[in-house]
Amino acid sequence: MLLLACIIIAFAQPFFESKDSKNASNEMYIVLDNSFSMQAKGKKGELLKRAVQELLEETPENATFSLLTNNDSYWNTDIKTIRSELQNLKYSATPFQLTTILAKIKARKSAFKKDIIIITDAVGLTPNQLKNIDTDNVPYFIVPKAEQKNNVAVDSVFIRQTLDDFYELGINATNYSEDFKPISMALYNQNKLVAKTIINFKNKNETVNFTIPKQAFHGYVSIEDNDLTYDNKLFFSISKIKKTNVISIGAPEKNNFLGRIYTNDEFNYGSFALSNLDYNSIDKQDAIILNELDEIPQALQTTLKSFVNKGGNLIVIPSEIVSISNLNTFLKQFGTTQFQSLEPNEKLITKINFNHPLFAGVFENKTNNFQYPKAKKTFVISTTSPSVLNFEDQSPFLTGLKNAVSSIYVFSAPINTLNSNFQQSPLIVPVFYKMALSKPNNGISANTIGNSSSYVVSVLLSKDEILTVKNQEEQFIPVQKLLNNKVQLFFNDYPEKAGNYTIYDTQKPIENISFNYPRTESDLNQVNENLLSDYKTGDSISTIFDTLQTNRTDNQIWKWFIIFALLFLALETAIIKFVK
């Protein structure tokens, strides 16, 4: 009777339902952070390489899942299919943005819930990236930890000083370590060693100076650091010196001071009265100065608008008797800056906006003890653009209006010697010198991959011609816009790899350009240990897979009744054989 009962119950296949059986059909999504901070070394090597190895070894072969990295997505795949991609996975210049990746997952419409496993070191992870997590699809986090969080990064390069025959370069480096050990730094031009030095960190940030010949440069600076490697090199280029074309439009006696600033060794400078201006020459200029014109003719306004839109810089110095309505109509084409009344109150120019791009590399240290220039009569102006120089009452003296390819600078007062002593101020030379330069980085190309800003190249192309950017390892065609005798380039997320590149017109090299990875991952201490305390976490991918399997697998007890049936069958046979 017991034998028959066990057989009948076994065929009924009884089981105890698992506590999470309703989610047994969930779809699996694995998010793998392959940003540069994952280069850090944990107990078993680099964090990313170890995570990849664990995925290859521990993911069930019959499991279907989708894998998302910082820059790629592999939908509805399995570990066999994706093995090669995982083994060849590269570090991404795109920072880890959990919000963006979760939005991609959410956009995948499905009738089932989603299991999301996120593997990240949590460097740069913020509460804002977590607040929009879908409550129906709470993720599991695996947070591999770096054993050492020390790191030194080469951040930026600038021309500190331009001498007759030399450039003095400034290299900014940051030490994210607690122990400031000396670091070796080397400078290379075309892969040839130019100079070498030792950085002795006294502070977290240090600037190292190199002096190089005043000629074209296409190379990099590097440090020897055993921690993160992606930020150990900074690639940059300095173009061959080209004279900047500048003209001033105004009364000749008021333009004299500009001729002493825009000298023949660096500029092609011309001074014109409004009545003698050749409108056809405007498109050939890099910068134009409107020096105290009483009125700007409509034809000149139209020409200058086109000039600015094609990459030319414009400097506006108002006349004491300027037609305000005429000037405001002109300025309205470039932004919100508008002139109001002229005030006869003398004001001192006391504040310098050291953070403005115009002053990049101009001042070695911030200073407030210079002799203040002044203006006797000034215009009240309203603007939302950042000021470059301010009066003592915080009203703007010089304002910078920025557009995509050029800059417009507007003074709020005449600067002739009768109204102001600004021409005798030490500020006059760096201000006008930098305002005329078409490239705000003063000739250095050290672009950041993923930066949305554009790059302007001086080249004349036909409508069917395109520019190509390439080096020995990578080649791409950027988005480009013709600007008369210039071309505006948009790189977006290209190139994929940092390095030195050249811009080509077909096979003809036009200009050297350099790209670097963003330094957003350099500080390994950007981890909030308590940030993920409210979420499910695991030590490894195998732990999470085992947990899901255990919680979602029903406890099948029919097998036990088969075993009992066999035991009872053996017992029945024994009774028949041995009991008489």
Side-chain angles (χ1 to χ4, degrees):
M1 293 295 293
L2 289 172
L3 168 65
L4 293 175
C6 287
I7 292 175
I8 293 169
I9 294 173
F11 274 100
Q13 295 187 353
F15 64 90
F16 292 122
E17 188 177 62
S18 62
K19 62 181 179 179
D20 196 24
S21 61
K22 62 181 180 179
N23 291 321
S25 59
N26 283 11
E27 294 180 341
M28 174 71 72
Y29 294 84
I30 300 175
V31 177
L32 179 58
D33 179 2
N34 62 327
S35 58
F36 283 111
S37 63
M38 294 284 283
Q39 280 184 343
K41 296 178 177 62
K43 293 181 179 180
K44 298 180 180 180
E46 290 186 18
L47 301 183
L48 178 62
K49 291 182 179 179
R50 182 57 198 163
V52 168
Q53 188 63 31
E54 191 172 313
L55 279 173
L56 293 172
E57 293 176 354
E58 304 295 341
T59 304
E61 292 189 357
N62 60 345
T64 300
F65 60 91
S66 296
L67 177 70
L68 293 90
T69 66
N70 296 22
N71 51 339
D72 283 309
S73 302
Y74 305 92
W75 304 103
N76 295 326
T77 185
D78 56 62
I79 199 64
K80 288 183 179 180
T81 305
I82 207 172
R83 183 177 299 276
S84 177
E85 285 79 1
L86 276 172
Q87 290 173 336
N88 296 307
L89 183 64
K90 305 296 183 184
Y91 291 98
S92 169
T94 305
F96 182 66
Q97 291 292 335
L98 182 58
T99 304
T100 303
I101 297 176
L102 291 179
K104 290 182 181 179
I105 295 175
K106 189 175 182 179
R108 300 281 294 186
K109 300 301 181 182
S110 172
F112 304 101
K113 286 187 176 182
K114 301 170 182 177
D115 291 324
I116 304 172
I117 300 176
I118 300 171
I119 307 173
T120 176
D121 58 1
V123 170
L125 192 65
T126 64
N128 285 337
Q129 296 185 45
L130 299 173
K131 68 179 183 180
N132 293 325
I133 288 180
D134 192 345
T135 54
D136 292 333
N137 302 300
V138 179
Y140 295 83
F141 282 90
I142 300 174
V143 185
K145 295 182 179 180
E147 286 199 311
Q148 294 291 334
K149 295 188 177 181
N150 299 331
N151 187 43
V152 178
V154 186
D155 292 322
S156 60
V157 58
F158 62 95
I159 295 179
R160 179 186 290 277
Q161 191 175 4
T162 302
L163 306 174
D164 291 339
D165 299 313
F166 298 94
Y167 290 123
E168 184 179 309
L169 300 179
I171 312 293
N172 293 325
T174 302
N175 193 329
Y176 296 100
S177 310
E178 295 181 0
D179 183 14
F180 289 171
K181 294 181 180 180
I183 295 290
S184 174
M185 176 179 282
L187 182 68
Y188 294 84
N189 186 12
Q190 301 285 3
N191 293 321
K192 293 181 180 179
L193 181 64
V194 175
K196 198 169 186 178
T197 189
I198 298 293
I199 313 175
N200 292 302
F201 283 95
K202 296 180 181 178
N203 302 296
K204 180 179 178 180
N205 301 296
E206 291 288 347
T207 300
V208 180
N209 297 328
F210 287 105
T211 300
I212 62 174
K214 193 177 180 180
Q215 53 190 242
F217 185 96
H218 196 44
Y220 60 92
V221 61
S222 70
I223 59 172
E224 295 181 6
D225 174 27
N226 294 325
D227 300 297
L228 298 185
T229 59
Y230 89 96
D231 54 12
N232 288 353
K233 285 186 178 181
L234 184 74
F235 298 91
F236 66 97
S237 304
I238 301 177
S239 301
K240 184 179 179 181
I241 295 176
K242 297 178 182 178
K243 288 188 177 182
T244 302
N245 298 322
V246 182
I247 62 172
S248 59
I249 305 171
E253 63 275 11
K254 293 182 179 180
N255 288 340
N256 287 335
F257 78 98
L258 294 170
R260 296 191 292 272
I261 298 173
Y262 301 126
T263 54
N264 291 331
D265 57 336
E266 294 186 66
F267 296 91
N268 294 317
Y269 171 70
S271 173
F272 299 92
L274 182 58
S275 57
N276 298 328
L277 177 63
D278 180 7
Y279 280 56
N280 293 324
S281 68
I282 288 180
D283 275 344
K284 301 175 183 178
Q285 307 306 313
D286 296 304
I288 294 176
I289 303 165
L290 301 183
N291 191 8
E292 300 191 29
L293 297 181
D294 297 338
E295 189 165 351
I296 306 173
Q298 182 59 49
L300 182 58
Q301 291 189 31
T302 303
T303 305
L304 289 177
K305 181 182 179 181
S306 174
F307 167 77
V308 170
N309 290 338
K310 292 177 180 178
N313 286 359
L314 179 65
I315 304 162
V316 180
I317 307 170
S319 164
E320 187 176 323
I321 57 173
V322 68
S323 168
I324 293 179
S325 60
N326 173 263
L327 181 58
N328 284 341
T329 300
F330 173 62
L331 292 177
K332 195 173 183 180
Q333 302 175 97
F334 309 114
T336 59
T337 299
Q338 293 285 278
F339 276 67
Q340 298 174 14
S341 59
L342 179 68
E343 293 185 343
N345 303 323
E346 183 176 292
K347 295 181 182 179
L348 293 177
I349 302 164
T350 61
K351 184 179 179 182
I352 302 173
N353 183 359
F354 293 99
N355 296 322
H356 196 280
L358 185 70
F359 290 133
V362 171
F363 298 98
E364 186 168 345
N365 296 301
K366 294 183 179 181
T367 179
N368 294 312
N369 59 350
F370 63 94
Q371 185 176 0
Y372 298 134
K374 61 185 178 181
K376 296 178 181 179
K377 297 179 181 179
T378 64
F379 285 94
V380 176
I381 66 172
S382 62
T383 182
T384 57
S385 299
S387 297
V388 181
L389 298 171
N390 284 81
F391 288 114
E392 55 191 323
D393 62 358
Q394 303 304 313
S395 60
F397 170 67
L398 174 60
T399 302
L401 289 67
K402 190 74 177 173
N403 70 10
V405 293
S406 59
S407 297
I408 304 97
Y409 298 97
V410 180
F411 286 87
S412 65
I415 61 171
N416 61 71
T417 54
L418 295 177
N419 188 64
S420 173
N421 63 349
F422 186 68
Q423 291 187 27
Q424 286 75 49
S425 167
L427 289 172
I428 187 72
V429 174
V431 166
F432 274 88
Y433 181 89
K434 294 295 290 292
M435 286 193 299
L437 295 178
S438 58
K439 291 182 180 178
N441 57 10
N442 199 18
I444 284 187
S445 163
N447 300 279
T448 300
I449 296 174
N451 193 328
S452 59
S453 60
S454 61
Y455 189 87
V456 177
V457 182
S458 296
V459 60
L460 183 61
L461 296 180
S462 66
K463 290 184 178 180
D464 296 329
E465 291 181 306
I466 58 172
L467 298 179
T468 304
V469 182
K470 61 183 177 180
N471 63 6
Q472 294 179 345
E473 299 181 21
E474 189 173 350
Q475 175 176 333
F476 64 97
I477 299 174
V479 176
Q480 43 204 281
K481 179 181 178 182
L482 294 178
L483 303 172
N484 199 25
N485 60 342
K486 298 178 182 179
V487 179
Q488 183 182 9
L489 303 178
F490 302 88
F491 301 109
N492 300 320
D493 291 329
Y494 288 98
E496 294 182 355
K497 189 174 181 180
N500 291 315
Y501 292 76
T502 301
I503 302 172
Y504 286 87
D505 176 10
T506 314
Q507 298 299 321
K508 179 183 177 183
I510 301 299
E511 188 173 323
N512 290 327
I513 188 171
S514 300
F515 293 90
N516 297 282
Y517 299 120
R519 275 16 185 187
T520 52
E521 306 286 325
S522 295
D523 186 1
L524 295 176
N525 293 301
Q526 302 178 79
V527 180
N528 185 346
E529 300 287 348
N530 300 320
L531 195 61
L532 301 176
S533 59
D534 296 333
Y535 296 90
K536 299 176 182 178
T537 58
D539 296 330
S540 64
I541 192 74
S542 59
T543 302
I544 293 179
F545 276 131
D546 289 343
T547 300
L548 293 177
Q549 180 75 13
T550 301
N551 292 342
R552 294 177 182 177
T553 301
D554 295 330
N555 189 4
Q556 303 287 343
I557 60 173
W558 59 269
K559 298 177 183 177
W560 289 102
F561 287 96
I562 291 291
I563 295 172
F564 287 136
L566 293 174
L567 289 175
F568 290 130
L569 177 62
L571 182 61
E572 179 71 18
T573 304
I575 292 172
I576 294 174
K577 185 175 182 180
F578 297 108
V579 178
K580 295 183 180 179

